[in-house]
Amino acid sequence: MRSPLTALHVVQPGDGGVARVVTDVIGAQLDLGMRVAVACPPGTPLALAAGARGAEVHPWRAGREPGPRLVAESRRVAALVDLVRPDLVHAHSAKAGLAARIAVRGRIPTVYQPHAWSFEAVDGVTGALARRWERWAARWTDRVICVSEAERRRGEHAGVRAPWSVIHNGVDARRFTAGPGRAAARAALGLPPTAPLVVCVGRLCRQKGQDVLLDAWPAVLARVPDARLVLVGDGPEAEALRTAAAGLCVPAAAPSAGFAPSAGPAPSAGPGPRAAVGPRTEPGPGTARGPRTAAGAGTATASRTAAVPCGAADRTVTFAGAVADAAPWYRAADLVVQPSRWEGMALAPLEAMAGGRPVLLTDVDGARESLPPGQEAHCLVRPDDPAALADALTALLRRPVLREALGRRAQQHVLRRFDVRRANAALADVYREVTAAPRHRHELGEPISQ
């Protein structure tokens, strides 16, 4: 009798959306009778959840960024491969993809899932090095799994030549369709019962763009004075965001400049540079992307508002911190916003839509693919543009009937297209294909659709 397939997941980070995706994958694989091992930073939500599910959890003390510890981190992965003796290694996100592929170098089947490309986060020399590495490491990769067609196109445009599969993120809809309604959820969370409520769920970091949301918030309050904002999550920018919120000024009411829909490329277009975003300030070597340059017609709104005494706006912003389950916050929301600067396909909007809530997204990779057809005009804005974001938030908060209709359609869309069982079945197919393939360098061909 053939022994069950053994998979070793190498993961960094151990929290956030990546951790939730990997936790769902682990559960599905254990249900299939697979032996599952996970190497991730100890004490993280992923380590705890994987252990509770019955996976073998091995501590891998790796930082998020490449650095002088990379050699030791790669050696640790190599040692775990010798210990676990997996049939397949699945590396999640850029750092794990770097360390695992250096450690394995194609000796056993290797699947890499970037969960958003690392070169999207940086410019200059660091960005060029990230692209070069991804191109080089493709030779040690049996399959690259992207969570959206846009993410795949962006990798291809960067010169990554590898066998591809596109498997959209999935959610367990049962977690979000059941539970108390909006009023009960607000009461349990201590939130105002009737105030228009915007919720943003995500790690508090530059990628997720909560700073842009805070920049936009005073202009929203000028037109929807009783609106409330909740930021759910924690992260390296938490202190800076709290400081920014404390300094918000409520502007005097001003006429809206009008909501301009995103000018981003249609899904069929190649990725290329995002034309909807204004020119960036090029940083020096090794630095993160520079300050925003707002773009488009919507930018006039915030600049025309006249500030009045500061200190009131921060009372409309709540920092909920990290939570084990975001579902109650989605249930409490009137609108869920994800103002990311880059993504592969964000998980939080899928979760919110599964619960019947409308979402407002920035036009980054995966956003158009996650929305129901026809919702782009209401639910998609340019990234890094606080004025356009403020206009879109205001428009949706002022139209409760539209919000409810958008939420109902979004829920149907997610239930039909983004069920986690469908995603896990597609991943199982990939595992069978790569473990059955002869161990030689793959001929590169067209993307493999899942």
Side-chain angles (χ1 to χ4, degrees):
M1 182 176 179
R2 186 178 179 182
S3 59
L5 191 73
T6 298
L8 171 62
H9 293 271
V10 183
V11 191
Q12 167 52 275
D15 58 2
V18 172
R20 297 202 301 279
V21 169
V22 176
T23 298
D24 285 339
V25 167
I26 289 168
Q29 293 177 347
L30 290 169
D31 289 344
L32 289 174
M34 289 176 56
R35 177 182 170 223
V36 180
V38 182
C40 66
T44 57
L46 174 59
L48 300 174
R53 293 286 183 97
E56 303 171 21
V57 180
H58 300 275
W60 184 49
R61 293 177 172 83
R64 285 180 176 260
E65 307 296 332
R69 290 184 50 82
L70 176 61
V71 172
E73 292 163 350
S74 297
R75 286 175 177 166
R76 172 60 175 162
V77 173
L80 288 174
V81 169
D82 291 340
L83 174 67
V84 175
R85 300 185 68 82
D87 299 294
L88 174 144
V89 171
H90 188 161
H92 298 265
S93 291
K95 179 59 180 293
L98 175 63
R101 288 182 287 178
I102 288 174
V104 176
R105 300 193 185 198
R107 290 182 290 116
I108 59 176
T110 302
V111 172
Y112 170 50
Q113 190 166 352
H115 299 279
W117 294 105
S118 61
F119 50 75
E120 284 289 275
V122 287
D123 278 322
V125 172
T126 304
L129 288 173
R131 287 179 177 83
R132 184 177 301 175
W133 158 252
E134 292 290 0
R135 292 193 293 266
W136 177 265
R139 69 191 62 203
W140 296 326
T141 312
D142 293 79
R143 192 71 57 85
V144 175
I145 295 178
C146 292
V147 295
S148 66
E149 282 289 345
E151 183 184 38
R152 181 194 65 76
R153 290 195 302 268
R154 193 163 296 281
E156 199 169 58
H157 186 266
V160 179
R161 300 289 179 259
W164 304 90
S165 287
V166 175
I167 303 177
H168 288 144
N169 281 333
V171 295
D172 183 354
R174 295 167 296 184
R175 289 182 48 218
F176 304 101
T177 55
R182 184 181 284 110
R186 291 193 182 195
L189 295 170
L191 296 170
T194 60
L197 181 64
V198 177
V199 171
C200 178
V201 176
R203 189 167 183 261
L204 303 185
C205 61
R206 187 177 181 278
Q207 177 194 358
K208 299 299 182 180
Q210 292 96 344
D211 59 317
V212 184
L213 179 56
L214 289 178
D215 284 351
W217 192 242
V220 175
L221 292 177
R223 291 167 280 175
V224 189
D226 55 342
R228 297 294 182 269
L229 171 64
V230 178
L231 302 182
V232 181
D234 202 354
E237 297 298 317
E239 184 176 350
L241 290 170
R242 289 177 185 273
T243 299
L248 290 179
C249 301
V250 180
S256 171
F259 168 49
S262 169
S268 59
R274 292 194 182 100
V277 185
R280 293 193 303 263
T281 301
E282 286 294 325
T287 60
R289 284 181 172 175
R292 291 189 306 272
T293 305
T299 58
T301 304
S303 64
R304 287 210 308 266
T305 56
V308 296
C310 300
D314 69 306
R315 294 195 292 271
T316 71
V317 180
T318 299
F319 287 80
V323 299
D325 183 11
W329 296 96
Y330 297 134
R331 296 187 192 109
D334 291 302
L335 175 64
V336 174
V337 61
Q338 187 91 57
S340 302
R341 288 183 167 92
W342 69 90
E343 293 283 357
M345 175 180 280
L347 190 63
L350 298 177
E351 294 175 341
M353 288 190 288
R357 296 298 178 261
V359 296
L360 176 59
L361 311 178
T362 45
D363 194 2
V364 295
D365 288 353
R368 288 176 179 264
E369 291 170 59
S370 64
L371 286 173
Q375 289 200 1
E376 296 88 351
H378 299 290
C379 302
L380 206 62
V381 299
R382 291 176 294 273
D384 243 330
D385 190 339
L389 183 62
D391 282 347
L393 285 167
T394 300
L396 288 169
L397 290 177
R398 285 175 164 176
R399 300 181 66 182
V401 175
L402 173 63
R403 288 199 312 270
E404 292 299 320
L406 293 171
R408 285 193 301 270
R409 188 175 177 196
Q411 185 176 56
Q412 296 167 359
H413 176 68
V414 168
L415 295 179
R416 185 173 61 252
R417 292 281 311 277
F418 296 99
D419 190 295
V420 70
R421 293 168 293 186
R422 179 177 176 178
N424 288 332
L427 181 60
D429 289 341
V430 169
Y431 279 20
R432 283 190 287 269
E433 291 167 10
V434 300
T435 54
R439 298 306 302 145
H440 58 75
R441 190 177 185 274
H442 294 272
E443 293 183 5
L444 304 181
E446 292 300 312
I448 301 168
S449 178
Q450 297 289 335

